[in-house]
Structure formats: C-alpha cells, structure tokens
Amino acid sequence: MPALNVPSPLGLLTVVEEAGAIVALDWNDAPDGVSGGLADNAPTTLLTEAARQLTAYFDGALTAFDLPLAPAGSAFRKRVWQAMADIPYGETRTYGDLARSAGSAARAVGGACGANPIPVILPCHRVVAANGGAGGYSGKGGLATKSALLDLENRDTRLF
C-alpha cells in the first residue's frame, strides 16, 4: 500500500492509501527526518493531496477535509466514524451524543473512537466526556495530543 510521511506539529504522520482511498493515519515513531521505511518513494496524487490538506489544517487554513476515506471496521464502527466526521471544526460532541446518533451506548462509542484508523481526518479528538472532560485519546501523546488538536481548532481545553 502506498504511504506518505507528513510532518506536523504533533510529529511525523504516515498516511496510507489503498484502492484510491485513505485507509490509515499513524504517528510515525521514526526519528525526525527519517522515514522509518513506512513511506512510498513515489507518492500518489491522493497522498500528495492528503499531505496538502493536513498541512493546511495544521496551519489553520483548512476546516474540513475532502478526501476519499475507507476505514476498515464493523458497520457499527463505520456509523460512529461517520458521526465523528459530521462534527464541525471547532465543535465537540459527547460520547453520549454519538451513541444516540449511532443507536448504541457511550462505552461502545468510546471503543470505536479508540479504534479509529484515520485520526485527525476522522476527528475523534472532537469527542469528549459528558462532564466536559477530555475522555480518552488513543493517538500518540494521548490527552496532550487531543488537547493540542482542540486548541488548534480554538476550543478551550483548559479543563483537560
């Protein structure tokens, strides 16, 4: 599968494409400036566009991604991920909100958020606990990363 490393304020990200759609975004644990062997030497048009959009997002110039996505998962997880994708930039929803829209329980939504294969682009960082707390975040850096993403979107995260 073609992959491309994208520098970000959160570290090196690796975006993966399969069959014309983005299927994964991972934090690359390789040292700065080293690809870790995960990136394709000849990026596809889609990966180049994904890198452009991610860079624009981190620069504060993009509020909605427009990329074909194909995350692998159960029908339930795909419903939750679609509900996450519908959360507008700079806003949050609770696990309970997503549970109601997906016809499930908040704990199951938390599991789907934790299994999100395309974080940042599918914005699981916008899902918070009912009490206004952060909840969890499975991406590298955990809650510090979630807080940084929400801060980027101008959401007050001083409570985390």
Side-chain angles (χ1 to χ4, degrees):
M1 286 181 276
L4 180 65
N5 288 329
V6 180
S8 84
L10 303 174
L12 193 61
L13 304 174
T14 301
V15 184
V16 181
E17 173 187 351
E18 183 177 350
I22 302 300
V23 296
L25 183 148
D26 296 307
W27 273 261
N28 186 331
D29 290 327
D32 288 343
V34 177
S35 74
L38 297 176
D40 187 32
N41 289 330
T44 66
T45 301
L46 176 57
L47 289 173
T48 300
E49 178 59 16
R52 185 196 69 74
Q53 288 188 32
L54 283 162
T55 300
Y57 170 79
F58 286 114
D59 287 345
L62 181 84
T63 60
F65 290 96
D66 183 22
L67 299 165
L69 306 178
S74 68
F76 168 74
R77 285 183 172 175
K78 288 179 181 182
R79 283 195 312 272
V80 171
W81 297 333
Q82 182 56 58
M84 284 188 314
D86 293 340
I87 303 170
Y89 180 93
E91 295 184 23
T92 58
R93 299 292 183 269
T94 67
Y95 292 96
D97 292 336
L98 266 64
R100 283 185 288 284
S101 70
S104 183
R107 185 171 296 245
V109 167
C113 287
N116 177 9
I118 314 173
V120 182
I121 296 170
L122 285 176
C124 50
H125 60 277
R126 297 180 190 156
V127 184
V128 298
N131 67 2
Y137 192 71
S138 61
K140 185 176 181 180
L143 293 180
T145 297
K146 183 173 190 167
S147 181
L149 289 166
L150 291 172
D151 284 346
L152 173 77
E153 296 182 12
N154 296 314
R155 164 77 167 66
D156 186 0
T157 58
R158 288 175 287 176
L159 299 176
F160 302 170

